[in-house]
């Protein structure tokens, strides 16, 4: 199974971020523009949270707030679970399912180097299973 570093090499390590002072509306526009479900919240060079579609639904829509007057810092998730580039896809999948989260920041030497989504990991898991199936078919046919 691949490591997080290998996934990032394939996926790329572009990280979209906003500040805690950003309006939720502006963050949603950025997410829509890049077809992503979450943004890292950065204050100066430090990661202070994650803002996701889930945060928006639970903290703005359901509570009757507005995205044009609410800041990302007011509703972002701050209890962050992170992984290292040397962790495996399997480890990340277990973390995500166990903690019921959809995004994992990747830290190396306390620096943010990427962000993995559940979709990234599912894609890698499917590719790995297809590889194993082909290997088994080849073994059976030989």
């Amino acid at each position: 199974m691949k490591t997080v570093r290998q996934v990032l090499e394939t996926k790329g390590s572009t990280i979209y971020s906003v500040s805690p002072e950003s309006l939720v509306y502006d963050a949603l526009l950025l997410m829509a523009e890049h077809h992503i479900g979450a943004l890292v919240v950065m204050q100066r060079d430090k990661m202070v949270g994650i803002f996701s579609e889930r945060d928006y639904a639970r903290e703005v829509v359901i509570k009757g707030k507005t995205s044009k007057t609410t800041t990302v810092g007011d509703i972002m998730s701050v209890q962050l679970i992170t992984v290292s580039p040397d962790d495996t896809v399997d480890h990340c999948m277990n973390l995500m399912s166990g903690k019921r989260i959809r995004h994992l920041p990747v830290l190396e030497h306390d620096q943010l180097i990427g962000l993995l989504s559940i979709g990234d990991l599912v894609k890698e898991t499917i590719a790995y299973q297809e590889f194993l199936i082909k290997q088994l078919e080849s073994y059976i046919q030989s």
Side-chain angles (χ1 to χ4, degrees):
M1 181 136 301
K2 284 187 177 182
T3 65
V4 169
R5 186 180 315 279
Q6 291 169 310
V7 174
L8 289 177
E9 286 170 1
T10 303
K11 172 193 173 181
S13 56
T14 301
I15 303 167
Y16 296 100
S17 64
V18 291
S19 72
E21 296 80 23
S22 299
L23 291 177
V24 168
Y25 181 81
D26 295 327
L28 292 170
L29 287 175
L30 183 61
M31 290 163 57
E33 177 184 342
H34 296 287
H35 306 285
I36 55 175
L39 297 167
V40 176
V41 183
M42 301 290 289
Q43 192 159 40
R44 295 173 196 81
D45 290 334
K46 183 179 181 214
M47 180 177 57
V48 294
I50 290 183
F51 170 70
S52 69
E53 293 166 332
R54 189 181 273 183
D55 295 322
Y56 172 69
R58 290 181 178 170
E59 299 297 325
V60 176
V61 175
I62 291 177
K63 293 184 178 178
K65 298 178 182 177
T66 67
S67 59
K68 290 189 177 183
T69 60
T70 305
T71 65
V72 169
D74 290 337
I75 65 167
M76 66 185 179
S77 299
V78 293
Q79 293 181 339
L80 303 178
I81 297 166
T82 63
V83 293
S84 83
D86 298 321
D87 285 322
T88 64
V89 168
D90 191 46
H91 171 74
C92 294
M93 289 287 283
N94 287 329
L95 262 178
M96 286 181 156
S97 62
K99 301 291 185 180
R100 301 179 61 105
I101 56 175
R102 294 173 178 244
H103 299 90
L104 281 172
V106 182
L107 298 180
E108 185 169 44
H109 308 296
D110 294 326
Q111 291 291 340
L112 181 66
I113 63 165
L115 182 68
L116 293 178
S117 71
I118 190 73
D120 298 328
L121 298 177
V122 167
K123 178 181 173 184
E124 286 299 328
T125 301
I126 290 169
Y128 181 67
Q129 290 173 349
E130 288 173 349
F131 168 77
L132 288 178
I133 289 168
K134 287 179 184 173
Q135 292 294 318
L136 289 170
E137 287 173 344
S138 176
Y139 174 76
I140 290 169
Q141 292 173 357
S142 62

